[in-house]
Amino acid sequence: MEFLKELGIKEKNLGASTGLEWYGTKDQGELKIHSPADGKYIASVYQASQIDYDKVIATAHKAFIEWRTVPAPKRGETVRKIGQALRNHKDSLGKLVSYEMGKSLQEGLGEVQEMIDICDFAVGQSRQLYGFTMHSERPNHRMYDQYHPLGVVGTISAFNFPVAVWSWNVMIAAVCGNSNLWKPSSKVPLTAIAVQNILADVIKEEKLPEGLFSLIVGRGSSIGEELINDKRVPLISITGSTRVGRHAAQVISKRFGKYILELGGNNAIILTPNANLKIAIPAIVFGAVGTAGQRCTSTRRLIIHEDIYNKVKDSLVKAYGALKIGTPMEISNHVGPLIDKAAVEDFKNALVKVVKEGGKIICGGDVKEGAGYESGCYVSPAIVEADNKYEIVQEETFAPILYLLKYSGDVNSAIEIQNDVVQGLSSSIFTVNLLEAEQFLSHWGSDCGIANVNIGTSGAEIGGAFGGEKETGGGRESGSDSWKAYMRRQTNTINYGTDLPLAQGIKFDI
């Protein structure tokens, strides 16, 4: 395929890079990557060894020592050029994202656009790494705080957003003065290698320090454990399951490191009797079936007032009937495949379980077979009537299953149902009633890190801080003031007088 050639993807690829050099101990196993779109073999990657890791981390630390001395606006100029390089390769990289991961081509191209957008955001941020000044109680003293870079920032990304989440972290971390080490999902390593190849041209052209942007592809049980235990990596951003995040948080905390966790979501949309269904239905459908339900912000639960329940149910069944399921490389298709057959099994098992608990499948739920579905990874998105207390509804199934939950009473009853899960990432309400909207956004309303009104749970913009609460992990990435997570805070006091008055009026005469 031409886009593989353009991105420098070979038949066999090494799994460790410092930006300029590639390393690859070939005795640690070879990842053979097949596309969930058609089941065809794409290429392979040699997993990195401990020797490779040691080379990469040492080079990344050395790069930090140099990079932190570069003025932040100049660091921003480098990121601007990375954004331009991504623009030049948007079509090819978007196709690879779709082909390797399985999301629709529109979403693949959109993910690369998200990378470009965060580069633009980071360029502006490079001139706004601000602190604050405070008045001192002591005469002839000035106080202020400022922010300094941390060191090597690690990013552990998941398969569902193989490049965008990396860029959220790395572009911000880079303008803050940090170097970066990326461990991508072993399910989608080719997109990471492609990005590393794109970065290499900028690194050479700008004469950037080797190791500023590094890559390590390896087993979680070896390379992943080495990374989270490494004191040379003061901050690690992790996207993944709650189980993985809980383990990583414990290990990193034990060495007093910092972490950003973006873990599970069990996101709900509330439809009150005052909802504008004309805009609500498309938002629900995209939220539930976009990326084949494999977004952390995918809509899992739909909480519908009893007065409009049947109308909404009928509208959704009709909309699902119009979905085009097929290869993600065809831009007119709405739903592509799940990432692999294991994900298909999770989808099937969840539906079996919800029926056993008393749920009713009213739409979809089958595995697609026949021409065009040879990979065995395509399913028909399911709609299920259920109860929020079902065990399976309390879990996050990473697949296109939408649970319909009925409520009665006022909006507070719906909010109580929404909050009654352990996850707390994204949430939404559709209503034209200002009182209902404001209650949803109040401090007794949604307990999620993201709360939207009259838009869905999925499709966050890069300008806002992204992240959640409860078992979603905490921490924020991307926009707003999330840049502060990638820096260490320092308070400074300057005495410009000739006396030494002490704080709190303490006297200490000698």
Side-chain angles (χ1 to χ4, degrees), residues 23-65:
Y23 303 102
T25 306
K26 298 182 180 180
D27 61 356
Q28 298 300 304
E30 187 178 1
L31 294 172
K32 295 185 177 181
I33 307 303
H34 294 77
S35 171
D38 54 19
K40 292 181 179 179
Y41 173 76
I42 308 174
S44 70
V45 182
Y46 290 108
Q47 296 189 104
S49 67
Q50 181 67 50
I51 294 172
D52 299 325
Y53 177 85
D54 290 340
K55 289 179 181 178
V56 168
I57 192 66
T59 307
H61 181 70
K62 185 178 178 182
F64 163 67
I65 300 302

Side-chain angles (χ1 to χ4, degrees), residues 153-157 169 235-239 259-261 477 486:
V153 170
T155 301
I156 300 176
S157 59
N169 288 277
L235 171 68
I236 302 180
S237 176
I238 301 170
T239 303
Y259 53 78
I260 299 170
L261 301 178
E477 301 169 313
Y486 305 92

Side-chain angles (χ1 to χ4, degrees), residues 29-339:
E30 187 178 1
L31 294 172
K32 295 185 177 181
I33 307 303
H34 294 77
S35 171
D38 54 19
K40 292 181 179 179
Y41 173 76
I42 308 174
S44 70
V45 182
Y46 290 108
Q47 296 189 104
S49 67
Q50 181 67 50
I51 294 172
D52 299 325
Y53 177 85
D54 290 340
K55 289 179 181 178
V56 168
I57 192 66
T59 307
H61 181 70
K62 185 178 178 182
F64 163 67
I65 300 302
E66 179 180 344
W67 185 243
R68 66 182 177 180
T69 67
V70 176
K74 288 189 69 66
R75 300 194 293 251
E77 175 63 11
T78 293
V79 170
R80 185 189 69 79
K81 292 183 177 179
I82 292 172
Q84 186 57 51
L86 290 169
R87 284 182 172 89
N88 295 339
H89 294 280
K90 177 180 176 180
D91 184 68
S92 293
L93 186 56
K95 287 177 180 177
L96 178 55
V97 168
S98 293
Y99 192 58
E100 185 180 27
M101 185 268 153
K103 63 175 59 178
S104 73
L105 183 55
Q106 291 193 55
E107 292 184 75
L109 294 170
E111 182 165 347
V112 181
Q113 184 61 50
E114 196 165 355
M115 300 174 77
I116 295 166
D117 292 344
I118 199 66
C119 286
D120 290 347
F121 181 92
V123 173
Q125 190 67 71
S126 69
R127 294 181 181 270
Q128 298 187 70
L129 303 177
Y130 52 82
F132 296 96
T133 60
M134 295 77 73
H135 287 275
S136 173
E137 66 184 60
R138 291 167 284 186
N140 300 322
H141 281 59
R142 181 164 68 89
M143 297 177 63
Y144 67 95
D145 63 19
Q146 61 180 331
Y147 292 83
H148 297 304
L150 284 170
V152 181
V153 170
T155 301
I156 300 176
S157 59
F159 76 85
N160 59 331
F161 279 86
V163 292
V165 172
W166 168 83
S167 66
W168 292 358
N169 288 277
V170 172
M171 295 304 115
I172 301 296
V175 298
C176 289
N178 303 294
S179 61
N180 300 272
L181 176 57
W182 182 12
K183 184 187 180 303
S185 166
S186 294
K187 294 184 179 183
V188 287
L190 299 179
T191 47
I193 290 171
V195 170
Q196 198 73 5
N197 289 336
I198 293 170
L199 291 172
D201 292 335
V202 179
I203 292 169
K204 293 172 186 175
E205 181 182 334
E206 297 300 304
K207 297 180 172 60
L208 301 175
E210 182 181 1
L212 182 58
F213 302 104
S214 299
L215 176 71
I216 194 88
V217 178
R219 293 186 180 89
S221 59
S222 56
I223 297 301
E225 286 298 309
E226 185 69 26
L227 178 57
I228 63 176
N229 278 281
D230 199 330
K231 291 183 178 181
R232 293 169 294 183
V233 186
L235 171 68
I236 302 180
S237 176
I238 301 170
T239 303
S241 68
T242 299
R243 178 187 59 81
V244 168
R246 181 178 286 113
H247 168 69
Q250 291 171 346
V251 173
I252 297 168
S253 295
K254 193 174 292 185
R255 64 175 174 85
F256 293 100
K258 298 181 179 181
Y259 53 78
I260 299 170
L261 301 178
E262 202 286 277
L263 310 176
N266 196 348
N267 316 296
I269 293 177
I270 295 172
L271 296 182
T272 81
N274 299 300
N276 179 347
L277 297 183
K278 182 179 180 181
I279 63 172
I281 297 299
I284 295 162
V285 176
F286 175 72
V289 309
T291 323
Q294 297 172 118
R295 292 187 179 212
C296 49
T297 55
S298 290
T299 306
R300 311 282 178 206
R301 299 174 297 140
L302 186 61
I303 305 167
I304 314 165
H305 192 274
E306 60 183 359
D307 288 351
I308 59 172
Y309 183 87
N310 288 330
K311 181 178 181 180
V312 170
K313 180 174 70 171
D314 292 344
S315 296
L316 286 173
V317 170
K318 181 180 179 181
Y320 271 50
L323 290 174
K324 295 179 181 178
I325 304 170
T327 173
M329 307 310 289
E330 174 54 59
I331 205 160
S332 63
N333 285 334
H334 301 107
V335 185
L338 292 171
I339 185 64

